[in-house]
Amino acid sequence: MKAINGGIDEKLFEELLKINRSTNFHQLIGVHVAELGKGYAVTKMEIEEKHLNPLGIAHGGVLFSLMDITMGMAARTVGKQVVTLEMNINYVSPANLVDKVKAIGKIVHAGNKTTVAVCEAYTEEGRLLAVARETFFNM
């Protein structure tokens, strides 16, 4: 999948793509960057057998991780190196095997000490799966 540069510096764009490709956890769960722009990130992943819980739907931790990664990448587009202080998520609909999931994260506050982001995750067909909000500590 070729990622789209939504208007950030090309060097930063390539650096963030490299971070995604070289982060073992991102690769373990199958998260790919689809687009990066100033203050936002779009990621995608396909739900596989390894992501399912005993009910046969995607484990909540999979969407949580996808959205955490997405919001963290969005923070990096505005020059913030961050770690999570707090995150909450509302699951709206289950993700199923072979669903292609897209997460869209946006920065709503980029302060000196903290950064706040929001994220929504959808299936390829546009079904809302979850919404989240996250507060980061700026390193």
Side-chain angles (χ1 to χ4, degrees), residues 25-26 29 31 41 43 60-76 82-89 103-105 107 117-121 132-136:
F25 186 70
H26 296 193
I29 64 172
V31 176
T43 61
V62 173
L63 287 179
F64 189 96
S65 294
L66 172 68
M67 297 170 88
D68 177 49
I69 290 166
T70 305
M71 290 183 278
M73 294 299 275
R76 287 177 176 270
V82 297
V83 293
T84 303
L85 284 174
E86 176 271 339
M87 181 174 160
N88 68 43
I89 188 168
I104 305 163
I107 299 304
V118 295
C119 189
E120 295 178 338
R133 181 185 53 79
E134 186 164 23
T135 303
F136 296 103

Side-chain angles (χ1 to χ4, degrees), residues 54-122:
L55 298 174
I57 59 176
H59 189 285
V62 173
L63 287 179
F64 189 96
S65 294
L66 172 68
M67 297 170 88
D68 177 49
I69 290 166
T70 305
M71 290 183 278
M73 294 299 275
R76 287 177 176 270
T77 69
V78 293
K80 303 295 182 183
Q81 301 292 325
V82 297
V83 293
T84 303
L85 284 174
E86 176 271 339
M87 181 174 160
N88 68 43
I89 188 168
N90 294 97
Y91 298 100
V92 178
S93 179
N96 300 301
L97 184 63
V98 305
D99 273 346
K100 291 175 176 58
V101 179
K102 175 168 83 170
I104 305 163
K106 298 175 186 171
I107 299 304
V108 295
H109 168 74
N112 291 328
K113 294 185 179 184
T114 62
T115 297
V116 178
V118 295
C119 189
E120 295 178 338
Y122 297 90

Side-chain angles (χ1 to χ4, degrees), residues 1 16-17 19-34 41-48 50-51 61-71 73 101-103:
M1 165 188 321
L16 295 179
L17 292 181
I19 287 169
N20 176 249
R21 287 189 303 266
S22 65
T23 302
N24 290 333
F25 186 70
H26 296 193
Q27 298 311 305
L28 177 69
I29 64 172
V31 176
H32 304 283
V33 172
V42 180
T43 61
K44 293 184 177 183
M45 71 178 297
E46 183 172 341
I47 302 302
E48 302 173 25
K50 67 183 178 182
H51 300 126
V62 173
L63 287 179
F64 189 96
S65 294
L66 172 68
M67 297 170 88
D68 177 49
I69 290 166
T70 305
M71 290 183 278
M73 294 299 275
V101 179
K102 175 168 83 170

Side-chain angles (χ1 to χ4, degrees), residues 2-5 7-17:
K2 183 161 172 54
I4 297 168
N5 184 339
I8 62 174
D9 175 76
E10 190 64 31
K11 184 177 176 184
L12 175 61
F13 178 72
E14 291 300 326
E15 178 184 323
L16 295 179
L17 292 181

